[in-house]
Amino acid sequence: RVGRPPRSTLLPYPTLFRSSSMARTTGFPAASIGRMIADGTINQPGVHPPEAFGSNNAVIDRLLAELESRNVRFVRTMESVR
């Protein structure tokens, strides 16, 4: 196999929010997951690392849509290595 694994990046575009890009790329996902717990989208009891929800398409699609609505985009790129 030639190439590197895909690289994922969150791109926080300028907004009217008075917060840093770091605050937006950590706080917004946490708030989105909190809303999903509150409305029952996520209903597993206990503490889970974020990657535990990576295989749940409903969670991922909603998370990315909520981030996009706040002007934070998820971009996946692949680069070949020689």
Side-chain angles (χ1 to χ4, degrees):
R1 177 178 147 170
V2 177
R4 296 181 185 173
R7 178 176 36 185
S8 302
T9 307
L10 284 176
L11 302 172
Y13 290 92
T15 66
L16 298 177
F17 295 105
R18 291 186 174 185
S19 59
S20 69
S21 60
M22 181 58 78
R24 293 193 316 270
T25 57
T26 57
F28 289 163
S32 178
I33 293 295
R35 281 190 293 278
M36 287 187 253
I37 291 169
D39 71 16
T41 301
I42 296 173
N43 59 8
Q44 296 109 336
V47 177
H48 303 279
E51 56 272 12
F53 301 107
S55 61
N56 185 329
N57 289 335
V59 170
I60 296 302
D61 291 344
R62 181 167 162 191
L63 174 63
L64 294 177
E66 288 190 18
L67 289 173
E68 182 79 23
S69 74
R70 288 167 175 76
N71 216 16
V72 177
R73 293 193 198 126
F74 176 81
V75 176
R76 187 173 185 155
T77 58
M78 295 186 72
E79 300 174 12
S80 62
V81 177
R82 295 182 186 211

